[in-house]
Amino acid sequence: MSNEGLSNLLHEERTFEPSEEFRAQANAGQELFDRAAEDREGFWAEQARRYVQWETDFEQVLDWSEAPFAKWFLGGRLNACVNAVDRHVEVGHGDRVAIHWVGEPEGETRDITYAELHQMVQRAANALADLGVGEGDTVAIYLPMIPEAAIAMLACARLGAPHSVVFGGFSAEALHSRIDDAGAKVVITADGGYRRGKPSALKPAVDAALAHDENPVQKVLVVQRTGQDVDWTNGRDLWWHEALEAAAETHEAQAFDAEHPLFILYTSGTTGKPKGIFHATGGYLVQTAYTSHVVHDLHPDSDVYWCTADIGWVTGHSYIVYGPMTLGATQVMYEGTPDTPHQGRFWEIVQDLKVTVLYTAPTAIRTFMKWGTDIPAKFDLSSLRLLGSVGEPINPEAWMWYREHIGADRCPIVDTWWQTETGAIMISPLPGVTAARPGSAMKAIPGIVAKVVDDMGQEVEKGSGGYLVITEPWPSMLRGIWGDPKRYQETYWSRFPDAYFAGDGAKLDEDGNIWVVGRVDDVMNVSGHRMSTSEIESALVSHPKVAEAAVVGAADETTGQAICAFVILRADAVAEADSQAAAGEGEKLVQELRNHVAKEIGPIAKPRQIMVVPELPKTRSGKIMRRLLKDVAEHREVGDVTTLADSSVMSLISDGMQKG
Ligand code: 6R9
C-alpha cells in the first residue's frame, strides 16, 4: 500500500465517545474485553449458556483438531426455533410483539406476537413434516419480505431441515442452480410481493426453475400475498394457507446436535459457481444472539429494532431472524423499497413505530444523502438511540451524515464488519464502550481475534495496510462450502498459514483500529502503487457536489491499471453541471473532481476518467457491480447483468457515455 494511498482515511481524527447516558444503560462494558482476553474458550462457554437454551448442555467448547474444520459446543443439543420462539412464550412474553410487519402499500400492517408466531411455526413445521420433510432434508425458500419468510425459516429449523433462502431478486436460472446444488425437496414461495408500488411475481421463476428435466423438488408451497394469477402444477403445488390449516396445531420440537447444519446460503465468489456457505446450529445461534445483545445493544423489553436488510441475505438471517428473536426482541419488518410511495418512507416508519435501533447499509445512507436532508427532517426521529451500518465500508461523510441527520448527533453508530461466511458480527465498536471514528469498524469484538497482515502473513505495523485475517476459530464460522470441503479449505485457509482469509483489504491506524477498505479484488495497482477503489470513492464523495461514486481499475498500457470513476451528482449540483455542459464546459466539473481527489489522497490517485452518470449498477443487496463498470471503462460489451437490481441501469450509463 503506498503512503499516498494510506493518508486519506487515516487522517480521520474525529472520535465520538458514547454519552454517559448511553454508557449507563448499555448491555456491554469494558469487562467483556477483559474476560475474553483472559480465557477465550471459557468466555464463549459463558456466552453460550447465557444466550442459548440447551436441551442437553455441551461437554466441550471447541474441537479444532481437524482445522480448518471446527466443531463448537460438542455434545450440546438444542432447537433453534425453540430458542427463537417457544421459550419467550414459556417465560410469559407471549403477548410481546415479535414482528411489526409493514407492507409496501400504505396502511397494510400486521403485528405478530411471540404467541402467534409460536402457533404459526408449529403449524408450518407440521405442514412441512406432512410433505415428508425431516431432519437433514433441505428446503429452498424464495419469498418476499413477509412474515412467512421468517416463519418458513423457523419451521425448517424446528425440523432440523436446513433452509436455503434464495433472494427474491434472483432469476429462475440462479434459483435452479441453488435448488439443485442444495438438493432441496420442497420450495416455499409466494405468488408475488409488492415492489415499487406494484405486485411483482415470484411463482413464475419457480415454475421456470423447476422446468428443468431433473430436479430434486417434490412439492411447492405457495403463500398467497398479492392475489395475482399463478400457473398451477397439480400434485406438486399447494397453497401455504391450506397446508397450514390442514396441519396439526401443536408440534413437539426435538433437539439437534450443536453441529447440525442450520442453513445454507449461497454467495458469489470471485469466479465460478456460487458457494453454498453452510452454518451449524449451536455456534451460529450463540454468536448472533450475543452480538445482537452487545453490539445492537438490544433491550427486548423496551426496544423496537429495525434491520432493513432482506431476509435473502445473511444480514436478514442473522439480524432479523436468529439474533434478535433468540433474545425475544420486538422488530419491524418492511416489505418494500425506501422510496415507495415517497422518499420519506423509512423515516415515517421510524416515527410511527418509534424505532429505537436502526441497522442499515451505507448505500442506503448515501441514497438518503442524495435525496436531501429536508426529507428525514420532516419526521420525528427522536425515538432512535442507536444506529448500525453493514455491508460495505462506510465513508466518513456518510457516517457523519447518518450521525447528524438521522441520529441527531446523539446516537452512537456501530459500523459492523462481517460476512456471510463469518455468520455474525466480528469487528465493530461496542456502543457503550468504544469512542468510534467515522469510517472505521474499529476493533474485533470480545471473543474474536482479527489481524491485518502483509503478503507474507506477518502482522503489519500501525499506520500500514494489508489483508484482514481472523486467526482464531469463532462459534458462528462457516462449517464449509456445501458439498465441496476442498474449495472451503482452498478459498479461505490456504492464502495464509493458520488464518482465515476474509478477502478484504484493511489498514491499521496508529491506535490499532481496523479500517476495512474493501475486497482485495477491488484493489487497483496503478504504476506499482496499490490503491483501494473505496478509498478514492470516499474522496470523491467528500466533494460537496458528489452523492455517490464507484471506482474501477481499467487496464492501461502504461500504468498497469488506470482509475476510472463513475459519479452521481447531488440534486443541487446537477443543474449547474447541465448548464456548464450546455456551455461546452463539461470538463470543468471533471477537472474540479480530479483535483479534489488529488488533494484528498495525492496526485497518484487522480482518476484518468470521471464519468457523470444518473445511476450506478447495483445488486439487490446494494453492492455496486464494479465488474460491469469495468466493462464500460474498458470499452467491452457489458457482461452478465442478471443479478442487477435494475437491469435498465447499464443502458442509461452507456447511453450517457456515448452522448458525453
Ligand atoms: C454482512 C455482509 C461481506 C463483504 C465483506 C466486506 C463487505 C461488510 C462491512 C464491509 C467494510 C463493513 N463488508 N460489512 N466492509 N465495512 N462494516 O455484508 O455479508 O454479503 O457476505 O459481504 O462485505 O467486503 O467481505 P456479505
Side-chain angles (χ1 to χ4, degrees):
M1 191 80 56
S2 70
N3 286 334
E4 291 95 324
L6 277 174
S7 58
N8 179 41
L9 288 176
L10 297 186
H11 280 163
E12 180 58 66
E13 272 171 2
R14 291 171 287 197
T15 57
F16 295 87
E17 293 267 358
S19 66
E20 269 321 306
E21 191 194 346
F22 193 96
R23 206 188 285 272
Q25 62 77 62
N27 286 332
Q30 176 60 36
E31 67 288 348
L32 212 59
F33 283 101
D34 303 339
R35 173 68 188 129
E38 167 193 293
D39 171 13
R40 218 177 69 88
E41 286 188 26
F43 167 85
W44 280 118
E46 286 155 22
Q47 309 316 314
R49 294 194 175 104
R50 172 166 189 186
Y51 294 108
V52 167
Q53 181 178 303
W54 299 86
E55 166 91 17
T56 310
D57 194 15
F58 51 90
E59 288 149 14
Q60 189 185 338
V61 180
L62 168 68
D63 177 2
W64 191 230
S65 61
E66 286 171 55
F69 297 91
K71 292 195 180 87
W72 280 86
F73 310 120
L74 289 89
R77 295 183 72 80
L78 74 164
N79 186 293
C81 178
V82 167
N83 270 277
V85 183
D86 303 32
R87 68 159 157 159
H88 309 308
V89 180
E90 277 155 28
V91 300
H93 294 148
D95 291 340
R96 186 184 287 163
V97 171
I99 301 173
H100 286 294
W101 180 76
V102 180
E104 194 187 80
E106 278 193 303
E108 196 177 342
T109 59
R110 279 166 79 184
D111 286 346
I112 300 173
T113 64
Y114 273 98
E116 288 164 338
L117 194 59
H118 187 219
Q119 288 165 6
M120 293 190 249
V121 293
Q122 291 185 83
R123 279 195 183 268
N126 283 327
L128 286 169
D130 291 345
L131 299 180
V133 175
E135 179 176 355
D137 294 328
T138 53
V139 174
I141 298 175
Y142 187 66
L143 284 170
M145 282 294 283
I146 53 177
E148 285 75 8
I151 295 163
M153 289 163 73
L154 291 164
C156 288
R158 196 172 185 89
L159 295 171
H163 52 71
S164 167
V165 181
V166 180
F167 174 62
F170 276 123
S171 64
E173 245 345 278
L175 178 61
H176 165 72
S177 66
R178 284 159 175 76
I179 286 173
D180 214 41
D181 188 76
K185 225 170 155 174
V186 169
V187 179
I188 305 175
T189 188
D191 47 2
Y194 282 90
R195 267 192 89 75
R196 296 186 199 284
K198 43 182 198 293
S200 154
L202 276 176
K203 174 78 165 39
V206 175
D207 292 334
L210 301 185
H212 289 263
D213 288 345
E214 271 175 58
N215 72 71
V217 175
Q218 294 160 11
K219 299 285 176 194
V220 177
L221 273 172
V222 187
V223 178
Q224 201 165 37
R225 158 69 188 124
T226 57
Q228 62 203 115
D229 282 342
V230 288
D231 286 342
W232 206 253
T233 303
N234 286 325
R236 186 197 70 184
D237 299 350
L238 296 121
W239 286 111
W240 164 273
H241 59 273
E242 290 180 3
L244 261 66
E245 260 163 45
E249 213 171 301
T250 56
H251 178 270
E252 188 81 30
Q254 174 200 337
F256 300 100
D257 191 89
E259 281 300 311
H260 186 69
L262 180 64
F263 68 85
I264 309 169
L265 187 58
Y266 287 84
T267 181
S268 43
T270 38
T271 52
K273 68 169 194 167
K275 303 174 280 194
I277 304 300
F278 78 95
H279 283 281
T281 311
Y284 174 81
L285 213 61
V286 167
Q287 198 174 327
T288 52
Y290 157 71
T291 46
S292 289
H293 189 74
V294 305
V295 178
H296 291 144
D297 197 52
L298 290 188
H299 293 57
D301 51 356
S302 55
D303 274 319
V304 178
Y305 163 79
W306 183 17
C307 166
T308 68
D310 191 284
I311 252 175
W313 307 112
V314 74
T315 304
H317 282 57
S318 303
Y319 296 109
I320 293 177
V321 181
Y322 292 106
M325 291 196 183
T326 297
L327 297 181
T330 295
Q331 68 179 308
V332 174
M333 182 177 183
Y334 172 55
E335 180 184 34
T337 52
D339 53 353
T340 307
H342 57 82
Q343 295 177 335
R345 190 72 197 271
F346 269 31
W347 316 122
E348 189 175 67
I349 293 173
V350 168
Q351 169 183 281
D352 292 353
L353 291 168
K354 299 198 167 39
V355 171
T356 56
V357 179
L358 178 70
Y359 193 35
T360 193
T363 180
I365 297 163
R366 289 193 299 264
T367 302
F368 298 135
M369 286 172 76
K370 184 171 79 182
W371 291 343
T373 53
D374 52 320
I375 293 173
K378 283 185 223 145
F379 298 90
D380 176 6
L381 306 181
S382 62
S383 55
L384 288 170
R385 64 177 195 88
L386 174 64
L387 304 174
S389 172
V390 61
E392 52 177 319
I394 178 165
N395 49 299
E397 286 65 34
W399 197 103
M400 289 303 300
W401 189 91
Y402 197 25
R403 177 163 171 107
E404 284 167 18
H405 298 286
I406 305 304
D409 215 6
R410 163 180 56 83
C411 304
I413 295 179
V414 287
D415 172 8
T416 62
W417 178 89
W418 59 292
Q419 308 175 295
T420 303
E421 293 88 339
T422 69
I425 294 168
M426 304 289 280
I427 304 174
S428 170
L430 290 192
V433 180
T434 315
R437 295 211 167 165
S440 173
M442 306 303 285
K443 294 197 165 86
I445 59 169
I448 300 298
V449 187
K451 291 188 175 143
V452 181
V453 299
D454 63 18
D455 271 323
M456 304 305 291
Q458 299 297 313
E459 264 191 273
V460 302
E461 284 176 18
K462 287 180 178 165
S464 303
Y467 303 97
L468 181 61
V469 297
I470 311 293
T471 56
E472 298 291 339
W474 63 101
S476 66
M477 65 193 278
L478 73 164
R479 295 304 193 264
I481 295 176
W482 197 250
D484 201 348
K486 211 167 132 231
R487 190 173 176 200
Y488 163 68
Q489 210 149 0
E490 281 166 4
T491 311
Y492 303 106
W493 297 92
S494 64
R495 176 69 181 81
F496 300 104
D498 304 322
Y500 167 86
F501 174 43
D504 281 323
K507 300 166 185 179
L508 217 51
D509 71 14
E510 295 299 335
D511 300 315
N513 298 313
I514 296 172
W515 299 69
V516 180
V517 294
R519 305 291 306 186
V520 284
D521 21 29
D522 290 339
V523 170
M524 299 170 292
N525 191 322
V526 183
S527 308
H529 297 275
R530 287 210 357 228
M531 272 179 303
S532 147
T533 51
S534 66
E535 197 166 17
I536 297 169
E537 287 164 8
S538 176
L540 283 165
V541 176
S542 74
H543 189 282
K545 289 183 183 164
V546 176
E548 210 170 343
V551 167
V552 295
D556 184 281
E557 267 178 19
T558 30
T559 57
Q561 279 187 312
I563 303 161
C564 292
F566 295 78
V567 300
I568 302 181
L569 297 179
R570 291 203 190 191
D572 49 356
V574 171
E576 192 192 324
D578 283 348
S579 61
Q580 275 185 356
E585 294 173 347
E587 264 311 288
K588 223 167 153 179
L589 173 71
V590 167
Q591 213 40 51
E592 188 180 330
L593 297 181
R594 293 182 78 232
N595 292 340
H596 179 73
V597 174
K599 186 176 130 258
E600 290 289 305
I601 305 177
I604 183 93
K606 261 191 186 180
R608 179 185 71 184
Q609 229 178 335
I610 296 182
M611 286 157 274
V612 177
V613 292
E615 288 291 347
L616 289 171
K618 285 179 190 162
T619 64
R620 298 266 184 148
S621 68
K623 293 205 166 61
I624 293 171
M625 293 187 72
R626 291 194 177 70
R627 176 171 60 77
L628 298 180
L629 293 174
K630 220 170 151 135
D631 289 345
V632 173
E634 298 181 349
H635 311 289
R636 261 196 311 275
E637 192 82 78
V638 172
D640 183 14
V641 295
T642 47
T643 52
L644 266 185
D646 179 355
S647 57
S648 62
V649 166
M650 286 317 295
S651 47
L652 272 178
I653 293 174
S654 348
D655 287 353
M657 296 215 18
Q658 272 150 24
K659 275 189 236 135

